[in-house]
Structure formats: C-alpha cells, structure tokens
Amino acid sequence: MNMYDIINKKKRKERLSREEIQYLVENFTDGKIPDYQMAAFLMAVCINGMDHEETAALTMSMAGSGDMLDLSAIDGIKVDKHSTGGVGDKTSLVLSPMVAALGIPVAKMSGRGLGHTGGTIDKLESFPGFSTSISTEQFIGNVNRIKLAIVGQTANLAPADKKIYALRDVTATVDNISLIASSIMSKKLAAGSDVIVLDVKTGSGAFMKSYEDSLSLAKEMVQIGTIAGKKTFAVITDMNQPLGYAVGNTLEVIEAINTLNGKGPEDLLEVSLALASLMLLGAGAAPDLSCAKQMLLKTIEDKRALNKFAEFIAAQGGDSSYVYNTDKFDRASLSYDITAESDGYVSDIRTDEVGMASLLLGGGRETKDSIIDLTVGIIIKKKLGDKVNTGDILARLYANDQNRLRQASERLRKAFTINAKQPKKQKHVYAIVTSDGVEELK
C-alpha cells in the first residue's frame, strides 16, 4: 500500500477501502506522507467526491488519531450539541442548563472562536474566575454531580484533522461536503458523547450559504454519526440575520441569561428549544418533540434552568452572582448608533458583515493568538421585516477604541438594506434531519 496508488485510485473515481484511508491518515499525521501528496489526494476528493462509507472511515480515522475521551464513568446517556457557526450564536449557553436541569448529562467539549466572535469558552470567561481548564476527573465529577460541564478541547483531540485542515485551508480544498463533515464529526466522536445534535446554519452569515448545501452537509454528518453508532440528529437553522439581538461575548452571555429568565428573543428561544428537544429525544427522556419542548419550557418558568446555569458557573470557579445580576458584568466605554437613512422595512441584513464589524471592534480573533475584548460588540435594534422610519436606530456598537469604532460602524452601516416593500417572514428552523430522513418545517 502506498500513497501514489491511493491518489491514483481516487483520481479514477474508484472507492477507497477503510484500510487505505486509515493508512493515509496515520502516515500523514506521523509525517511520513508529504504535504504535496496529501494535497493531491484532497483535490482528487474535491473533484470526484467520497461516498458515505469512505467519509465515515475518514472521520473515524481522524477521530482515532489522538485522544478519545472516555465518558463511561458518567452515569446515564451523555448528550452534546455542535453548531457549524454563526453570528450571535449563543444557543449552548441556553440549552445546556435546560437539558441538565432535567437530569440529562451534558458533557461538552468546546473550542475557542477564530473569527467574528469568541467561542462558547470565550463567552463563559466573561464570568470572573470561570475556568474550562479542569481535569478529566473534575469534568466527569461535575457532570455526575450537577449534570453539566464544559471544557476546552485538548491539544491532542483529532490531531489528524488539525493537520489536514491546515493544508485544506491553503490548497482551495475546504468546500467539499465529505471533508467538511469528517472534520466536524471527527472531533464530536472523539469527545465521547452518546447523542450528538448538530445545528447546521444556512444563510448569509453561515459557512454554507444555501439551504441545499446545508441540507447535504446535515445528511452527511447524520449518516457518519449513525454509522459510528451514535444517535445523531441535525437541525437546519437560519443565519440570514444574527441569532437574537446581541453579537459579542459578554453581550451574548447577558442575552442568554435573559432567555433563561423568560425574557429572551423569540428566535434564540425557538432554535434552542429545537436543538434541546432532540437532545431529550435522543436520551430517551421524552416520548416526542412536543412533549420535550414543554418539559424544557417548564425549566425556564420555574427557574430550574437559570439556577442550573449558576450552579455550573460556580462549579468551574466562576462568580455565579453575575447570573442573578447582569449589571455586574464589565461594559465597553464607547457606543455609537447606526440609524436608518430612509423610511421602509429592513429587507436584508448582510450577517457576514455584522460579524466582520464585531471582529473590527475586537470581539473576535484574526489569528489564534489574538486577544479578545469580551466587552465589545453590537446590539441589533431592527431585524428582517421590521418597519423603520428615517433616524430610527438599526444597531448600536460598543467599543473601547475610537478608531476601531469608526471602522466597524462604516462596515456595519453597509450591512442593512431598507426597501419600501416588507419582505416575507423569515423562518428560524427549516428542517430536522435524522437517520430516517428529512422533515421540512412549515
């Protein structure tokens, strides 16, 4: 077996065996296969594709290239959720305490954000003292005790994926469904949960811009998870506008807390409930999605979810008093309003531009070594379909640097389009994908 033959086989559109895929992953990770040969293989995949079995084999090989988290010491069916990434996406902060409040263990491994805003871990560090650098023993102990813990990804989690992705990034081989799906799922399988729920974003602020591409990715990932023996579900959700109103780390934490208090945005709650309901269904804790939704809403009504969030923050060293008094969070020193220049309706929001404005404020990372300003961000005041008059505030920016504020405001102003005609109401959840098929929601 050698790399030349594997490249040639894929070039001729032939199917690779599991052993051949294992060979190329192992030897590339160990440095025995040079970049130029792996780049040739990746381009052949982009041109000729991989089938479900090949994609699953690639995923499992990458997942097994490093640490595989053993969660067997945690009682019950472990559930996890992953998002393909969006603007204002803080659903983990909302759904995790709701699910944990119902006694279902949420053992989550999260990364730091690279891009317009921080990841879940960055957001949680808005709480003074909070740490995700806890031992495996403490992680497992916390999940057994309070049903919720979130840790940072280990350096040796799916190292093959890190190395392959770095090469894909510079060889124009990122946008292939099999390669995208295997990259995401290799880390989820290595993280060890029994149930995986995937939030696949679609729209201007998502990695996959079209519904068709998002559906293809969702199907592929569900297929991989099913082949790997995991209960896997995907939800296709909207990213043609920011989720909720807050974009930025501390601002998003405050909005998540407001949601747990029953005072959050409708779209954030709807998406969180859709994802959390599937987590309950996968864990066998609810007979159907309607019942699961009612169970979850009850945790908000009786404050169990809010109290669980505070318990989780305290268990990982954070000051949980901030959960009950969000005025304690640090705030940015400067603010600036973007206002409407004409009457009409908000007909388009370039969500990717909103994300870039947040990055310019300092709310995200341009490189992995960038330091995030947790206090900066944007509050969207008008969303798609909203009626506006000249001078109405469309969005408010928060900053700590005048020059950054000027650059971000110029970028953000171009993100909004106002027309005389009111656009069609936007759906928040498009479809649910399971191993049984696709249910498109009305």
Side-chain angles (χ1 to χ4, degrees):
M1 193 181 299
N2 63 74
M3 193 60 181
Y4 178 90
D5 290 338
I6 291 172
I7 296 168
N8 206 30
K9 209 171 167 182
K10 183 48 65 179
K11 184 182 75 174
R12 297 196 305 262
K13 302 183 181 180
E14 295 176 18
R15 187 174 180 278
L16 298 177
S17 69
R18 185 180 61 190
E19 290 74 22
E20 286 170 321
I21 291 171
Q22 182 72 30
Y23 169 86
L24 74 89
V25 170
E26 282 185 1
N27 285 278
F28 179 66
T29 306
D30 292 343
K32 297 173 184 175
I33 291 173
D35 283 0
Y36 59 82
Q37 283 191 310
M38 181 56 86
F41 169 76
L42 293 170
M43 188 58 73
V45 169
C46 282
I47 294 169
N48 295 325
M50 301 178 90
D51 65 20
H52 289 314
E53 286 71 25
E54 287 177 303
T55 307
L58 177 61
T59 306
M60 292 304 295
S61 295
M62 292 197 299
S65 65
D67 296 336
M68 296 283 284
L69 201 58
D70 180 8
L71 302 182
S72 59
I74 296 174
D75 302 326
I77 298 172
K78 281 73 72 177
V79 300
D80 194 7
K81 164 259 169 191
H82 173 82
S83 170
T84 57
V87 179
D89 184 12
K90 73 282 291 181
T91 56
S92 290
L93 303 177
V94 177
L95 63 84
S96 297
M98 285 196 292
V99 173
L102 291 168
I104 298 157
V106 181
K108 186 165 180 54
M109 188 176 283
S110 292
R112 295 187 181 276
L114 183 59
H116 47 79
T117 57
T120 299
I121 286 176
D122 298 300
K123 293 176 176 64
L124 287 168
E125 288 178 349
S126 297
F127 291 94
F130 185 89
S131 174
T132 53
S133 300
I134 59 177
S135 67
T136 302
E137 292 74 22
Q138 187 181 348
F139 175 69
I140 290 171
N142 283 4
V143 179
N144 276 329
R145 184 168 56 87
I146 67 171
K147 303 302 178 187
L148 173 59
I150 298 178
V151 293
Q153 290 179 358
T154 67
N156 201 38
L157 188 81
D161 172 60
K162 291 185 181 71
K163 194 170 181 182
I164 291 171
Y165 190 89
L167 190 58
R168 286 168 59 206
D169 203 30
V170 295
T171 56
T173 54
V174 170
D175 59 344
N176 172 270
I177 294 293
S178 291
L179 296 178
I180 296 168
S182 59
S183 175
I184 292 170
M185 291 301 291
S186 64
K187 295 187 281 289
K188 287 291 103 182
L189 295 177
S193 286
D194 305 309
V195 178
I196 302 169
V197 176
L198 303 156
D199 182 3
V200 182
K201 303 292 187 187
T202 189
S204 65
F207 183 68
M208 312 303 279
K209 305 298 182 187
S210 74
Y211 172 76
E212 291 73 23
D213 286 345
S214 299
L215 182 59
S216 296
L217 177 59
K219 287 179 176 177
E220 191 70 69
M221 292 194 291
V222 168
Q223 184 79 19
I224 291 169
T226 302
I227 290 172
K230 305 287 186 180
K231 286 187 179 178
T232 309
F233 309 92
V235 183
I236 300 177
T237 66
D238 181 64
M239 194 38 67
N240 283 304
Q241 60 183 333
L243 185 61
Y245 294 96
V247 179
N249 298 281
T250 299
L251 295 175
E252 290 186 40
V253 169
I254 294 170
E255 187 167 73
I257 292 170
N258 289 341
T259 304
L260 293 173
N261 266 310
K263 300 173 184 176
E266 175 194 343
D267 57 345
L268 174 57
L269 180 60
E270 183 181 338
V271 172
S272 298
L273 287 171
L275 297 166
S277 294
L278 286 168
M279 295 168 84
L280 264 60
L281 205 65
D288 54 52
L289 292 177
S290 177
C291 181
K293 180 179 176 180
Q294 293 308 311
M295 292 167 65
L296 291 160
L297 284 170
K298 184 67 176 172
T299 69
I300 292 179
E301 291 168 14
D302 60 19
K303 303 298 183 185
R304 276 181 293 160
L306 183 72
N307 293 334
K308 181 60 67 177
F309 189 53
E311 188 179 12
F312 153 67
I313 295 298
Q316 294 190 211
D319 186 344
S320 60
S321 67
Y322 283 60
V323 175
Y324 302 107
N325 182 7
T326 58
D327 289 339
K328 296 179 73 170
F329 284 106
D330 290 339
R331 297 298 205 277
S333 59
L334 304 171
S335 66
Y336 181 81
D337 291 342
I338 301 294
T339 57
E341 297 177 352
S342 62
D343 297 347
Y345 296 90
V346 178
S347 61
D348 183 49
I349 299 177
R350 284 286 307 280
T351 313
D352 51 351
E353 289 297 297
V354 177
M356 285 306 301
S358 174
L359 179 63
L360 288 171
L361 289 169
R365 289 186 180 85
E366 296 182 58
T367 71
K368 62 183 177 65
D369 298 319
S370 298
I371 297 173
I372 286 181
D373 185 341
L374 296 174
T375 64
V376 303
I378 300 162
I379 297 292
I380 304 296
K381 297 290 187 177
K382 298 291 183 180
K383 301 197 64 171
L384 289 177
D386 285 353
K387 178 78 173 71
V388 296
N389 297 313
T390 303
D392 283 353
I393 299 172
L394 300 174
R396 179 168 291 157
L397 299 93
Y398 293 91
N400 289 308
D401 180 278
Q402 195 67 53
N403 187 49
R404 283 182 176 272
L405 181 59
R406 180 184 55 78
Q407 293 180 56
S409 61
E410 290 172 1
R411 192 83 179 238
L412 187 61
R413 189 177 299 281
K414 298 173 185 175
F416 287 84
T417 301
I418 297 171
N419 282 328
K421 185 179 178 182
Q422 186 173 23
K424 186 173 68 175
K425 184 174 172 59
Q426 199 79 26
K427 286 201 293 188
H428 306 314
V429 180
Y430 292 92
I432 295 172
V433 182
T434 70
S435 57
D436 295 326
V438 178
E439 179 189 356
E440 295 191 328
L441 306 180
K442 294 180 181 179

